[in-house]
Amino acid sequence: MRMTTTNTQIWICVAFLLGTVSILHASILPDLVLQGSFFSLPSGIAIDPTSNALYVADFNNNMVMRFNNRHTLVSNSSPSMVFGQPTLASIVANYPSGVLSAAGLNQPEGLWVDDAGSLWVADSGNWRVLWFANASTLMTNDPPATGVVGQPNFTSVNSNNITPNRIRMTVSARTLGSTLWVADEENNR
């Protein structure tokens, strides 16, 4: 959904929908369904200030979808690219084998794109935050992340030790200047 503001009043209207709607709603509004993309608990959204790309975190499908230009989106728009999976049809956590890597995602939640165009993903099921530099310019599905925060490397998952450098359940990540802010749900910080 897209929200538009006019003066001091806020008007919310559905300009288009990305994802499927229930059978009842699909029969009433059949032209508002994104074909070929079935979100399962979309849990985060971000807009790239450098390119106007729109990113959607799909929690249960273990992926983040990129739509190249939010201004040109219409019903039935297809994602331009997928992070965390090789295709929209794949939904395996930590694709392909379930083993942690720089490319796999497990229940992504919060998203943020900083002023440099880096996509930050709260990879909650892996207790980490991944970032992808110049995310709008990446052209192939399932790219490896540029960096990781909250774990010592891309292949470690350790949530038992509460330290300033470990994350237990990330739900949100934001940057302000050169500072990264992370909501660490299970460590209550």
Side-chain angles (χ1 to χ4, degrees):
M1 275 192 285
R2 180 170 50 192
M3 180 174 75
T4 307
T5 60
T6 306
N7 298 329
T8 58
Q9 296 179 330
I10 298 176
W11 301 92
I12 300 175
C13 68
V14 177
F16 56 87
L17 294 177
L18 297 176
T20 60
V21 292
S22 70
I23 299 301
L24 173 64
H25 291 101
S27 64
I28 297 169
L29 304 168
D31 59 329
L32 297 178
V33 177
L34 173 66
Q35 300 300 319
S37 175
F38 304 98
F39 293 118
S40 181
L41 195 58
S43 56
I45 191 165
I47 296 172
D48 185 334
T50 65
S51 70
N52 282 312
L54 173 74
Y55 297 88
V56 179
D58 191 344
F59 186 85
N60 285 339
N61 287 330
N62 304 300
M63 69 176 72
V64 172
M65 296 178 208
R66 182 184 77 207
F67 298 85
N68 279 343
N69 187 336
R70 68 185 173 100
H71 296 295
T72 61
L73 287 175
V74 295
S75 294
N76 297 321
S77 290
S78 295
S80 309
M81 174 178 179
V82 180
F83 295 79
Q85 301 295 330
T87 68
L88 287 171
S90 175
I91 60 170
V92 176
N94 297 318
Y95 182 88
S97 61
V99 176
L100 211 55
S101 71
L105 295 171
N106 184 3
Q107 301 174 330
E109 269 189 270
L111 299 177
W112 182 253
V113 181
D114 64 24
D115 291 339
S118 292
L119 172 66
W120 297 80
V121 179
D123 188 12
S124 65
N126 288 325
W127 303 313
R128 64 186 185 174
V129 174
L130 295 177
W131 84 86
F132 300 83
N134 302 309
S136 69
T137 65
L138 300 173
M139 300 312 240
T140 57
N141 288 342
D142 201 25
T146 306
V148 61
V149 176
Q151 297 297 332
N153 54 51
F154 289 116
T155 58
S156 296
V157 176
N158 185 344
S159 67
N160 295 329
N161 301 329
I162 298 177
T163 70
N165 299 327
R166 295 279 164 88
I167 297 173
R168 190 125 180 243
M169 176 68 80
T170 56
V171 293
S172 182
R174 299 284 186 269
T175 59
L176 180 59
S178 61
T179 303
L180 175 67
W181 298 87
V182 176
D184 186 2
E185 184 177 83
E186 290 190 15
N187 284 325
N188 299 308
R189 58 184 182 173

